[in-house]
Amino acid sequence: KPKKFLLIPQAISIKKIEEINVDSKKTTDILFIGSVAKIHSNRWKYLEFLYKNYKNIELCGFGIEQVPNNFGFKSIFKNGVWGDEYFIKIKKSKIVINLFQDNYENLSDGINIRAFEIPACRSLQICKRLPFINNYFNENKDIVLFSNIEELKNKIDFYLENKIERKVIIEKGYQLVKKYDYENQLKTIIKS
């Protein structure tokens, strides 16, 4: 057994993300990208809520064939997006909803890379409140969190209406995730 483990921290390429040029106009109010396969069935109620309550939304990913037919969001769900197209979609969205896999609330850590990519693309991240999020982000400063559908609705409505407050959190999130750039993370690894 190894005496010491090297944990590789999350890392993103801020430079690559910034090189992807898009018109700065945000054309989508709400975006979700991710799996909706059965292992992620906890997402279905949130996506159905978004589908029923907001018009200018995009839902993309994979696993839609595992979602029961009684969910209306299936009618607008698109295939997954990858590479530059993935980052363009995020950059063109005012709000990106970041949802985690079933039972993540029982983990001490396990954040997904999207949590860093969303602020790097300068979009507002609204994320399900989980115990380990505060290891990386500060609630209502560089990320917006929710615990239930009512809180999600209140926060979406507030940040869609309040562009200045949305931009403040986006900018603070962007500044925070700069430390997760590959170059900075490699320096951390070399130090340790």
Side-chain angles (χ1 to χ4, degrees):
K1 289 185 177 180
K3 296 190 188 300
K4 191 175 181 184
F5 288 95
L6 174 64
L7 296 176
I8 307 297
Q10 293 279 22
I12 57 174
S13 175
I14 297 283
K15 182 179 178 188
K16 177 176 179 358
I17 291 170
E18 288 178 342
E19 286 174 353
I20 300 168
N21 289 325
V22 296
D23 179 352
S24 62
K25 186 173 179 353
K26 304 277 188 182
T27 55
T28 303
D29 286 344
I30 303 165
L31 172 69
F32 167 82
I33 299 176
S35 170
V36 292
K38 199 170 218 165
I39 193 169
H40 300 288
S41 62
N42 65 321
R43 298 173 176 183
W44 299 347
K45 67 180 176 185
Y46 297 110
L47 298 179
E48 188 71 3
F49 163 77
L50 294 173
Y51 168 74
K52 288 181 175 179
N53 290 280
Y54 299 95
K55 298 292 178 224
N56 188 11
I57 67 170
E58 283 194 58
L59 310 175
C60 308
F62 56 93
I64 194 68
E65 66 283 349
Q66 295 181 26
V67 177
N69 288 331
N70 60 315
F71 284 94
F73 76 83
K74 286 183 75 169
S75 66
I76 65 164
F77 199 84
K78 298 176 184 169
N79 288 333
V81 291
W82 313 101
D84 288 358
E85 185 184 357
Y86 167 83
F87 293 113
I88 290 168
K89 281 226 182 272
I90 295 173
K91 286 182 170 201
K92 299 290 283 174
S93 301
K94 294 174 186 173
I95 295 172
V96 181
I97 307 295
N98 190 3
L99 301 171
F100 291 86
Q101 189 171 314
D102 291 3
N103 298 317
Y104 258 51
E105 59 275 0
N106 299 324
L107 299 177
S108 60
D109 209 333
I111 198 160
N112 61 26
I113 194 68
R114 191 169 294 118
F116 303 96
E117 293 167 339
I118 295 166
C121 289
R122 294 191 168 173
S123 290
L124 180 69
Q125 176 171 208
I126 298 184
C127 185
K128 182 85 190 306
R129 185 178 283 110
L130 295 169
F132 53 79
I133 297 294
N134 61 7
N135 295 341
Y136 303 93
F137 295 97
N138 304 294
E139 185 172 1
N140 300 323
K141 290 189 176 27
D142 41 53
I143 193 170
V144 176
L145 303 175
F146 71 94
S147 294
N148 55 50
I149 286 179
E150 182 180 339
E151 188 177 13
L152 174 61
K153 179 182 184 342
N154 291 339
K155 293 193 174 182
I156 288 173
D157 292 348
F158 177 82
Y159 287 106
L160 284 177
E161 288 294 319
N162 295 280
K163 185 177 181 178
I164 294 170
E165 287 85 349
R166 185 173 75 234
K167 284 188 167 196
V168 166
I169 292 178
I170 288 170
E171 185 57 30
K172 287 182 180 176
Y174 174 75
Q175 294 303 324
L176 180 126
V177 298
K178 280 183 174 180
K179 73 180 182 182
Y180 294 99
D181 186 72
Y182 283 119
E183 187 175 316
N184 294 332
Q185 293 295 58
L186 285 171
K187 288 176 186 174
T188 302
I189 291 168
I190 290 167
K191 275 185 189 176
S192 65

